[in-house]
Amino acid sequence: MPDKSAYEASTLDWARIRAYARRVARETRKPTESGISYTRTEYQTVTKRVEVRHGLFNMFTKVQHRPERVAVIQRVDVVGPHWVLGRRNQHVERNTRHRNTTHQETTHEQSWVVLLPDGSLKKVVLWEEENLRTENGRSTYFGTHSHSIADLGDGDVRAMDFEKRHSEYGTHGKGVKTWGDREPGRRLLTHAKGSD
């Protein structure tokens, strides 16, 4: 069993970690996973050409230009081919109730530690925000997506040095509920920071 005090006394050797990552990316025979992406819907106003009949017995036509909002689905490529070194998730559901209104806001966070073919180590995070509002029996839904990609940091390595721990707090549909395995557990998996 790893000694926690020896672990805390150790330091991260980033030069060794990066050199090892480049070597693994160069020499591994394991195929990469496909890229990480998501779709986003945006609304744009376009001008539509419409022929309108008018006059006596609708014998005449004239052209009108009318604005119309259309949904445009875009694919957002976050990162290309990669190898997954770690994966975690966290979900937060916030519920509020008023007289005739309920509002549920849910955040889904998925994070990956990945090795890219050039040997760089990245942390990729995707967020999905969902808003559901029900008022007098009518529901409206709105959802958004976003992401971040950054170089792997000290905190990310430390989180990987501990076992995953699934936690769940709260009750669905009431107050705030959280669940997931983003926070590291207590059991140490390595003898030094960033080793293994």
Side-chain angles (χ1 to χ4, degrees):
M1 176 176 230
D3 179 19
K4 193 158 186 174
S5 59
Y7 172 82
E8 292 299 339
S10 68
T11 57
L12 278 168
D13 184 351
W14 278 108
R16 183 184 65 78
I17 291 171
R18 288 186 183 106
Y20 184 67
R22 284 190 298 272
R23 181 176 164 212
V24 168
R26 208 175 36 246
E27 296 177 6
T28 187
R29 300 214 185 278
K30 182 178 179 184
T32 59
E33 293 193 24
S34 59
I36 297 172
S37 64
Y38 60 92
T39 58
R40 176 172 44 203
T41 304
E42 293 186 359
Y43 292 90
Q44 297 178 349
T45 303
V46 296
T47 303
K48 200 166 190 174
R49 183 176 181 223
V50 180
E51 289 187 5
V52 179
R53 293 194 160 287
H54 66 93
L56 187 62
F57 303 112
N58 285 327
M59 293 178 60
F60 304 101
T61 60
K62 66 179 176 181
V63 175
Q64 290 184 344
H65 297 281
R66 294 184 182 165
E68 186 177 293
R69 283 180 52 102
V70 294
V72 178
I73 297 174
Q74 295 180 325
R75 178 183 162 130
V76 179
D77 292 318
V78 179
V79 67
H82 60 279
W83 295 277
V84 174
L85 304 178
R87 184 179 313 206
R88 299 200 181 223
N89 66 79
Q90 183 73 15
H91 310 273
V92 179
E93 178 186 288
R94 295 169 201 85
N95 294 281
T96 55
R97 294 180 190 272
H98 297 288
R99 194 171 180 171
N100 295 324
T101 306
T102 61
H103 183 232
Q104 183 179 80
E105 180 181 318
T106 309
T107 303
H108 303 285
E109 176 186 306
Q110 302 288 330
S111 63
W112 295 264
V113 172
V114 299
L115 171 63
L116 299 179
D118 67 359
S120 59
L121 295 164
K122 301 288 184 183
K123 181 175 182 181
V124 177
V125 183
L126 299 185
W127 291 279
E128 181 181 1
E129 303 277 340
E130 298 176 330
N131 285 287
L132 178 62
R133 182 180 180 89
T134 304
E135 188 169 2
N136 296 322
R138 293 189 64 183
S139 296
T140 55
Y141 171 83
F142 179 76
T144 61
H145 292 85
S146 60
H147 74 275
S148 73
I149 183 167
D151 290 333
L152 199 62
D154 292 1
D156 304 318
V157 173
R158 286 180 57 93
M160 291 174 63
D161 288 344
F162 289 84
E163 72 177 345
K164 279 186 176 183
R165 176 180 60 109
H166 183 81
S167 62
E168 188 170 328
Y169 303 101
T171 304
H172 177 67
K174 295 181 181 178
V176 177
K177 178 181 179 181
T178 62
W179 68 98
D181 61 6
R182 181 181 64 185
E183 302 305 320
R186 294 178 189 256
R187 191 166 71 88
L188 183 61
L189 302 173
T190 65
H191 294 285
K193 293 175 185 164
S195 65
D196 298 343

